[in-house]
Short mmCIF file of all heavy atoms in Angstrom, two decimals:
data_model
loop_
_atom_site.label_atom_id
_atom_site.label_comp_id
_atom_site.label_asym_id
_atom_site.label_seq_id
_atom_site.Cartn_x
_atom_site.Cartn_y
_atom_site.Cartn_z
N VAL A 84 203.98 199.76 51.03
CA VAL A 84 204.16 198.35 50.68
C VAL A 84 203.02 197.87 49.79
O VAL A 84 203.21 197.03 48.90
CB VAL A 84 204.24 197.49 51.96
CG1 VAL A 84 204.26 196.00 51.63
CG2 VAL A 84 205.48 197.87 52.77
N GLU A 85 201.83 198.42 50.01
CA GLU A 85 200.66 198.02 49.23
C GLU A 85 200.77 198.38 47.76
O GLU A 85 200.01 197.86 46.93
CB GLU A 85 199.40 198.65 49.84
CG GLU A 85 199.14 198.23 51.28
CD GLU A 85 197.94 198.94 51.88
OE1 GLU A 85 197.29 199.72 51.14
OE2 GLU A 85 197.65 198.73 53.07
N ALA A 86 201.69 199.29 47.43
CA ALA A 86 201.85 199.69 46.03
C ALA A 86 202.57 198.64 45.21
O ALA A 86 202.60 198.73 43.98
CB ALA A 86 202.60 201.02 45.95
N PHE A 87 203.13 197.64 45.87
CA PHE A 87 203.92 196.63 45.18
C PHE A 87 203.13 195.34 44.99
O PHE A 87 202.18 195.05 45.72
CB PHE A 87 205.21 196.34 45.97
CG PHE A 87 206.14 197.51 46.07
CD1 PHE A 87 206.02 198.42 47.12
CD2 PHE A 87 207.12 197.73 45.12
CE1 PHE A 87 206.87 199.51 47.21
CE2 PHE A 87 207.97 198.81 45.21
CZ PHE A 87 207.85 199.71 46.25
N ASP A 88 203.54 194.59 44.00
CA ASP A 88 202.95 193.27 43.75
C ASP A 88 203.10 192.42 45.02
O ASP A 88 204.12 192.50 45.71
CB ASP A 88 203.68 192.61 42.58
CG ASP A 88 203.10 191.26 42.22
OD1 ASP A 88 203.48 190.26 42.85
OD2 ASP A 88 202.28 191.22 41.29
N PRO A 89 202.07 191.62 45.34
CA PRO A 89 202.12 190.82 46.58
C PRO A 89 203.37 189.97 46.71
O PRO A 89 203.87 189.76 47.83
CB PRO A 89 200.87 189.94 46.46
CG PRO A 89 199.92 190.75 45.64
CD PRO A 89 200.77 191.48 44.65
N GLU A 90 203.92 189.49 45.61
CA GLU A 90 205.12 188.66 45.68
C GLU A 90 206.36 189.49 45.99
O GLU A 90 207.34 188.99 46.55
CB GLU A 90 205.32 187.91 44.36
CG GLU A 90 206.37 186.82 44.42
CD GLU A 90 206.39 185.95 43.17
OE1 GLU A 90 205.44 186.03 42.37
OE2 GLU A 90 207.38 185.20 42.99
N ILE A 91 206.31 190.79 45.64
CA ILE A 91 207.44 191.69 45.89
C ILE A 91 207.30 192.40 47.23
O ILE A 91 208.29 192.84 47.82
CB ILE A 91 207.52 192.73 44.75
CG1 ILE A 91 207.70 192.01 43.41
CG2 ILE A 91 208.67 193.72 44.97
CD1 ILE A 91 207.62 192.94 42.22
N ALA A 92 206.08 192.48 47.75
CA ALA A 92 205.80 193.23 48.97
C ALA A 92 206.69 192.87 50.15
O ALA A 92 207.13 193.77 50.89
CB ALA A 92 204.32 193.08 49.34
N PRO A 93 207.01 191.60 50.39
CA PRO A 93 207.88 191.29 51.54
C PRO A 93 209.26 191.93 51.44
O PRO A 93 209.82 192.37 52.46
CB PRO A 93 207.99 189.75 51.49
CG PRO A 93 206.75 189.32 50.79
CD PRO A 93 206.48 190.37 49.76
N TYR A 94 209.80 192.02 50.24
CA TYR A 94 211.10 192.69 50.06
C TYR A 94 210.98 194.18 50.37
O TYR A 94 211.83 194.76 51.05
CB TYR A 94 211.61 192.52 48.63
CG TYR A 94 211.66 191.09 48.13
CD1 TYR A 94 211.14 190.75 46.90
CD2 TYR A 94 212.27 190.09 48.89
CE1 TYR A 94 211.20 189.44 46.43
CE2 TYR A 94 212.34 188.78 48.43
CZ TYR A 94 211.80 188.46 47.20
OH TYR A 94 211.87 187.17 46.73
N ALA A 95 209.91 194.79 49.83
CA ALA A 95 209.70 196.22 50.05
C ALA A 95 209.48 196.52 51.52
O ALA A 95 210.02 197.50 52.07
CB ALA A 95 208.50 196.71 49.23
N LYS A 96 208.72 195.67 52.18
CA LYS A 96 208.45 195.86 53.62
C LYS A 96 209.74 195.79 54.42
O LYS A 96 209.97 196.59 55.34
CB LYS A 96 207.46 194.81 54.11
CG LYS A 96 207.07 194.95 55.57
CD LYS A 96 206.04 193.91 55.98
CE LYS A 96 205.65 194.07 57.44
NZ LYS A 96 204.63 193.06 57.84
#
Side-chain angles (χ1 to χ4, degrees):
V84 173
E85 299 176 3
F87 296 89
D88 183 275
E90 191 171 346
I91 301 173
Y94 307 132
K96 182 178 181 180

